[in-house]
Amino acid sequence: MDQIGFLEPRPAVIARRREIVADLLDLLPPGCLVHEPRELVPFETDAFVSYRRLPLAVALPETTAQVAAVLKYCNRYGVPVVPRGAGTSLSGGAIPQEDAVVIGLSKMSRILEVDYANRTATVQAGVTNLNISDAVSADGYFYAPDPSSQLACTIGGNIGMNSGGAHCLKYGVTTNNLLGAKLVLIDGTIVDLGGKGLDAGGLDLLGLVCGGEGQLGIVTEATVRLIAKPEGARPVLFGFDTSEEAGACVADVIGAGIIPVAIEFMDKPAIEICEAFAHAGYPMDVEALLIVEVEGSEAEMDAMLASIIEIAGRHGVKVVKESQSATEAALIWKGRKSAFGATGRIADYICMDGTVPLGQLPHVLRGTAEIVAKYGLRVANVFHAGDGNMHPLILFNANDPEDAARAEAAGNDILRLCVDAGGCLTGEHGVGIEKRDLMRHQYAEVDLDQQMAVRAAFDAQWLLNPSKVFPLEGRPAA
Amino acid sequence: MTPIHEPLSEEAAARLVQVAALSRSSLAIRGGGTRGLNAAPDGADILSTRGLTGIVAYNPAEMTMTARAGTPLEVVEAALTENRQMLAFEPCDLRGALGSSGIPTIGGVFATNASGPRRFVAGAARDSLLGVRFVNGKGEVVKAGGRVMKNVTGLDLAKVLAGSHGSLALMTEVTFRVLPVPETAVTIVVSNLNDAEAVAAMATAMSMSVEVSGAAHLPESVRGRFAGGVLPDGAATVLRLEGLAASVAVRAEKLAATMASFGPVARLDADLTARLWREVRDAAPYADGTPRPLWRVSVAPTAGHQLVAALRLETGVDAYYDWQGGLVWLRMEADPEAALLRRYVKAIGGGHATLLRARPEVMAATETFEPQADAVAALSARVKASFDPAGLYVSPLIDRKQGA
């Protein structure tokens, strides 16, 4: 298996490194540029840790104007730029390279305004996802998208990747909860898209920027929707003897017109890993577990649960366990949300993110098991079943290059399986470098050409996060 | 007579666009022709989706449907109703207000991003659009997105095509999310609030854990034209709750108790609720058979009534509010007052105003859509060029004068 490639660093940029650093030092206040090689190391990768490249320098601007100044400079001198939030990308979206200036938004981490009458929060891009919910929680509100990394990941990064989370089944992903953004274009122009209104005039450029993986510009501020917290929420555990039964149960619940706020799936290896870590009280004598969360008034939760339990019964559910307290409910979610971290304690893993139509879940689960077995590896499945967004964690030993190559090959086979089942390569983690070279499996040349033409409308020189998303060969000349 | 092209297949549409590109002619895309906006400008042919019809795939259990762009909306809705499902974003039918005829199409719904009262909880049309097939300005057939709920694979072209009003490409096929029809619905009516009080009451309702799925304020001037005149005297502030019957009953009690501190409270049953919100959605009070200018204005929810109050001091207006006050349906007595309106929209924090109806000569002299800031307009023009380099598709959304 070949390593994922990066664009060749531009020799002209590498040659001018010292001048570029000196110029950027002039553009930024003291303490806002990292350029000593030793200090650049923390920025060499993100959560896709198999790949590491040192950047040329890291700019840590404090204002939108400084972001604009750095971008304008880089545009003028043809210097690639890699935007960075908290560096939690699972697809390598924030991995830099030797000729690139990283623009990190960590110093822009203020909540600028909370407006309850309009139910919006306007925040700087470096604010963490959880900070928004924490800031409004006491007043009865929350920000809905909740990626597992929400403690660390930033809203700017969420916008870049159009992040999801467990509760998106009901509330939607980032793009459905984003009302406005301040965007700095590669030439330093600052544009305001959207606002506090529920829709904006003109073309929906915000809809392109969200999920643009930092290739269309850098978002420095965002206005997001706040939602009133539900009266109550109750996660319930459903244990099954087979993954197929659990998968079929999910399809039937949704098909019956019941939309819980979340339906999470874990197979036996995932249950064991998460239970050992979180002691959440997961049943250990089942092959597959669903965490179904319902919310609302007691009456509503009871009615919904009764229907779900009835459907689960038809699929041979073995264990139904309701959380009896807020503490128990929190533990159930802690186990689920720490799945990646807990897995990391017992093995190296790569996490896939394909999404498939619900009816295909049993087929794809079976296929995944076969693929992983073929490569002689193990897999733990833990994912958002309600919207078909699968996360097989392929376990391997990173110290064994052959094992690592097998894991990568198995992952690619699984993603092809997802696409062939009518799904897509990535539901919420983004393409980054990880899935870049599989894009032609999902899209025809003409489809990719159209996307690249739109990309070029924002960044004609292909300076923004240039090694990502689109296969390196077949790109238009900049 | 303006030539009208009605290709019967996607391939035929693509060939037609290729020929038009060679001859450097212009095309104005038309769906059902219900908006009255797409009278083709000088020299442009009409490219109609009328020949591209049919539901391609519908899997109720997966809650997605794929249909060709020219499929009548009523065909889509009939298939959904059979399975107790719906388009959650409640596309409006403005034929009454616009005095237009024609059959609304599913492609037109997405091309205009038509989105109704459930906007807060179900999003807009763009939020339900999962995938698109389209013919770009080079005559290439392109696909974007897919048929799954969560998909971040590459640029989200479906988003920018939704609401693009035919300015970028000819959508030939759309795949969208559908949702179950709620078991029941009820409307809580709070009477006699002025606009400002109503906005405060709606904000309070939306802050509660009762999941309001519609919040509109119908001032006294329009109240009688809703729900067959059964709403109590005085302005009516209306709040919709939907869901399982047991749950709706509990939530309605809770909401009514809180709203009682704002004004007298009444309730509408499920049938009247369905009728009322359809009328709110469709600007029914302005289906008045007149050409008096009609605007759709989107601003922050708390700003809508400020805008109307400011306008009232200078001109004759009538208005009602959806989206908790943020969507203003505004009828001018005489002149559209575009400059005045747009100045005030800016002054109250920004938003956008779309002129939906006026005498033809007034329509022609007024910018239909909100003019964009220069940098945004330039960027939009570049995005248009990336779909349609020769500027083949004409649409009032992107003025060709702004071309890059």
Side-chain angles (χ1 to χ4, degrees):
Chain A
M1 180 79 199
D2 291 334
Q3 289 267 304
I4 299 169
F6 283 69
L7 289 171
E8 278 304 309
R10 303 177 179 211
V13 174
I14 301 288
R16 288 189 63 247
R17 183 178 186 278
R18 288 176 61 178
E19 286 164 79
I20 293 168
V21 166
D23 290 344
L24 291 176
L25 282 169
D26 283 346
L27 286 175
L28 292 164
C32 290
L33 189 79
V34 179
H35 57 91
E36 296 292 347
R38 184 172 39 83
E39 294 174 359
L40 290 173
V41 172
F43 299 93
E44 68 179 356
T45 189
D46 52 25
F48 189 57
V49 291
S50 344
Y51 291 82
R52 294 161 196 271
R53 305 285 288 252
L54 277 185
L56 188 156
V58 178
L60 300 171
E62 294 168 331
T63 65
T64 299
Q66 290 165 14
V67 173
V70 173
L71 282 177
K72 188 174 175 184
Y73 175 86
C74 290
N75 189 47
R76 180 167 171 200
Y77 293 102
V79 182
V81 173
V82 176
R84 185 180 181 95
T88 58
S89 172
L90 290 162
S91 60
I95 299 179
Q97 58 185 71
E98 293 73 10
D99 60 348
V101 171
V102 168
I103 298 186
L105 278 294
S106 55
K107 294 195 179 195
M108 296 184 68
S109 57
R110 278 187 306 132
I111 292 177
L112 301 172
E113 186 199 26
V114 171
D115 177 348
Y116 288 133
N118 287 308
R119 289 186 320 292
T120 60
T122 300
V123 303
Q124 290 185 317
V127 167
T128 65
N129 174 291
L130 194 58
N131 265 344
I132 301 177
S133 286
D134 282 350
V136 298
S137 175
D139 296 306
Y141 296 87
F142 71 111
Y143 171 65
D146 60 339
S148 292
S149 57
Q150 69 186 135
L151 191 63
C153 66
T154 64
I155 195 69
N158 289 176
I159 293 168
M161 291 308 198
N162 189 14
S163 303
H167 290 79
C168 293
L169 182 56
K170 177 168 178 186
Y171 294 110
V173 295
T174 303
T175 190
N176 313 114
N177 288 278
L178 178 67
L179 294 174
K182 193 179 279 298
L183 177 74
V184 188
L185 302 177
I186 184 67
D187 67 357
T189 308
I190 299 166
V191 295
D192 288 302
L193 303 176
K196 288 184 181 178
L198 281 170
D199 61 13
L203 289 179
D204 190 355
L205 301 177
L206 190 58
L208 280 176
V209 169
C210 190
E213 303 209 13
Q215 299 204 322
L216 305 188
I218 294 187
V219 171
T220 58
E221 292 176 15
T223 299
V224 299
R225 294 176 61 194
L226 301 176
I227 297 176
K229 282 200 276 191
E231 199 173 306
R234 215 189 289 161
V236 182
L237 302 174
F238 293 84
F240 296 85
D241 274 335
T242 66
S243 291
E244 282 78 7
E245 284 171 328
C249 178
V250 171
D252 272 9
V253 167
I254 302 284
I258 302 165
I259 317 270
V261 65
I263 306 182
E264 298 290 298
F265 176 103
M266 290 189 195
D267 65 5
K268 184 144 188 142
I271 298 167
E272 284 169 357
I273 290 166
C274 294
E275 181 64 21
F277 180 81
H279 310 293
Y282 297 151
M284 302 298 290
D285 56 344
V286 297
E287 287 300 317
L289 181 67
L290 297 178
I291 305 172
V292 180
E293 180 155 282
V294 294
E295 63 177 27
S297 61
E298 289 296 321
E300 182 157 35
M301 290 193 289
D302 288 345
M304 216 183 232
L305 271 177
S307 310
I308 296 170
I309 289 170
E310 196 264 314
I311 292 170
R314 277 189 259 143
H315 293 280
V317 68
K318 210 167 134 189
V319 181
V320 178
K321 190 176 167 200
E322 291 190 36
S323 61
Q324 301 298 327
S325 66
T327 317
E328 255 185 62
L331 271 179
I332 287 174
W333 278 115
K334 185 185 171 203
R336 165 60 186 93
K337 290 206 172 185
S338 54
F340 295 3
T343 305
R345 298 198 316 168
I346 64 154
D348 301 299
Y349 69 89
I350 53 173
C351 172
M352 299 290 108
D353 179 40
T355 303
V356 300
L358 285 184
Q360 297 289 325
L361 275 178
H363 162 70
V364 174
L365 280 168
R366 223 169 19 246
T368 298
E370 284 164 16
I371 288 168
V372 175
K374 190 181 85 185
Y375 286 96
L377 296 165
R378 287 185 301 149
V379 66
N381 280 291
V382 47
F383 62 91
H384 315 304
D387 37 31
N389 186 193
M390 309 188 69
H391 292 321
L393 303 173
I394 304 170
L395 311 182
F396 70 103
N397 176 5
N399 293 323
D400 176 354
E402 282 185 23
D403 211 36
R406 277 197 296 273
E408 222 171 276
N412 289 345
D413 284 359
I414 290 170
L415 291 184
R416 287 190 199 98
L417 172 69
C418 291
V419 172
D420 295 342
C424 66
L425 294 172
T426 171
E428 58 183 3
H429 296 170
V431 176
I433 55 166
E434 187 201 14
K435 285 147 255 169
R436 184 192 68 204
D437 297 333
L438 292 171
M439 286 287 272
R440 287 203 173 87
H441 195 73
Q442 180 166 340
Y443 292 113
E445 211 61 38
V446 68
D447 306 333
L448 283 179
D449 285 350
Q450 180 65 67
Q451 290 187 32
M452 289 193 283
V454 172
R455 188 207 181 288
F458 287 78
D459 173 23
Q461 291 191 76
W462 281 70
L463 292 173
L464 282 161
N465 222 3
S467 284
K468 316 295 165 64
V469 184
F470 299 103
L472 300 183
E473 67 287 356
R475 291 182 173 190
Chain B
M1 265 309 271
T2 307
I4 299 181
H5 305 284
E6 283 186 10
L8 296 174
S9 69
E10 186 179 76
E11 307 83 78
R15 274 197 304 277
L16 200 144
V17 173
Q18 288 159 14
V19 170
L22 285 175
S23 64
R24 300 199 146 270
S25 49
S26 298
L27 297 170
I29 298 169
R30 175 186 286 183
T34 57
R35 285 295 180 113
L37 291 178
N38 41 10
D42 291 346
D45 292 2
I46 287 172
L47 175 53
S48 167
T49 61
R50 190 180 306 201
L52 305 171
T53 60
I55 293 172
V56 178
Y58 174 33
N59 184 341
E62 287 174 1
M63 296 198 301
T64 56
M65 182 185 277
T66 300
R68 294 194 186 89
T71 309
L73 183 59
E74 60 193 26
V75 170
V76 168
E77 291 190 322
L80 293 175
T81 303
E82 229 172 82
N83 290 282
R84 292 197 52 76
Q85 294 188 331
M86 62 176 186
L87 295 171
F89 56 88
E90 295 179 280
C92 55
D93 181 351
L94 295 178
R95 282 176 294 179
L98 302 184
S100 64
S101 54
I103 310 284
T105 63
I106 191 68
V109 163
F110 287 106
T112 56
N113 194 28
S115 312
R118 215 179 274 114
R119 180 72 180 82
F120 283 106
V121 289
R126 54 93 87 174
D127 296 292
S128 285
L129 187 62
L130 303 174
V132 190
R133 293 177 64 91
F134 60 91
V135 179
N136 67 16
K138 294 192 273 186
E140 295 166 336
V141 176
V142 182
K143 70 171 191 297
R147 64 182 179 104
V148 288
M149 305 293 169
K150 274 166 93 179
N151 183 353
V152 295
T153 319
L155 281 179
D156 197 353
L157 300 186
K159 288 284 180 300
V160 77
L161 284 162
S164 64
H165 288 269
S167 62
L168 303 181
L170 171 72
M171 287 193 260
T172 53
E173 189 181 289
V174 287
T175 299
F176 44 93
R177 182 185 194 187
V178 301
L179 279 179
V181 175
E183 188 176 293
T184 191
V186 64
T187 300
I188 302 291
V189 185
V190 193
S191 294
N192 263 328
L193 306 184
N194 67 31
D195 289 4
E197 292 164 344
V199 166
M202 289 190 284
T204 299
M206 302 296 294
S207 76
M208 298 170 64
S209 307
V210 293
E211 261 186 64
V212 172
S213 75
H217 177 61
L218 318 172
E220 174 62 11
S221 61
V222 296
R223 185 260 310 158
R225 275 173 275 159
F226 285 96
V230 304
L231 294 173
D233 283 350
T237 306
V238 290
L239 302 161
R240 181 174 62 182
L241 301 174
E242 297 173 296
L244 300 170
S247 157
V248 168
V250 174
R251 286 185 280 145
E253 280 308 314
K254 194 172 160 190
L255 180 60
T258 303
M259 287 299 113
S261 64
F262 287 92
V265 170
R267 289 189 199 196
L268 303 183
D269 66 14
D271 288 341
L272 273 174
T273 293
R275 173 171 179 182
L276 171 73
W277 290 97
R278 200 164 49 238
E279 291 165 347
V280 168
R281 182 192 79 181
D282 294 343
Y286 302 133
D288 49 13
T290 79
R292 277 183 284 183
L294 179 63
W295 290 93
R296 179 190 181 278
V297 187
S298 175
V299 294
T302 53
H305 74 285
Q306 298 168 6
L307 172 74
V308 173
L311 286 169
R312 279 215 175 99
L313 297 177
E314 305 206 26
T315 188
V317 301
D318 191 56
Y320 75 95
Y321 311 86
D322 194 359
W323 296 0
Q324 194 200 324
L327 180 65
V328 188
W329 294 95
L330 190 68
R331 188 189 63 193
M332 300 294 191
E333 290 309 315
D335 190 87
E337 305 282 9
L340 181 71
L341 171 61
R342 286 178 167 145
R343 194 164 71 240
Y344 280 133
V345 166
K346 273 203 182 67
I348 52 134
H352 67 107
T354 306
L355 181 62
L356 295 173
R357 178 184 83 185
R359 290 185 194 288
E361 66 277 14
V362 178
M363 285 298 285
T366 309
E367 289 202 66
T368 307
F369 295 99
E370 188 76 25
Q372 303 280 299
D374 288 348
V376 177
L379 183 57
S380 297
R382 292 202 298 275
V383 170
K384 173 177 168 59
S386 72
F387 282 90
D388 177 21
L392 197 68
Y393 296 120
V394 291
S395 160
L397 186 69
I398 296 195
D399 190 325
R400 278 194 292 179
K401 287 179 301 232
Q402 292 179 337

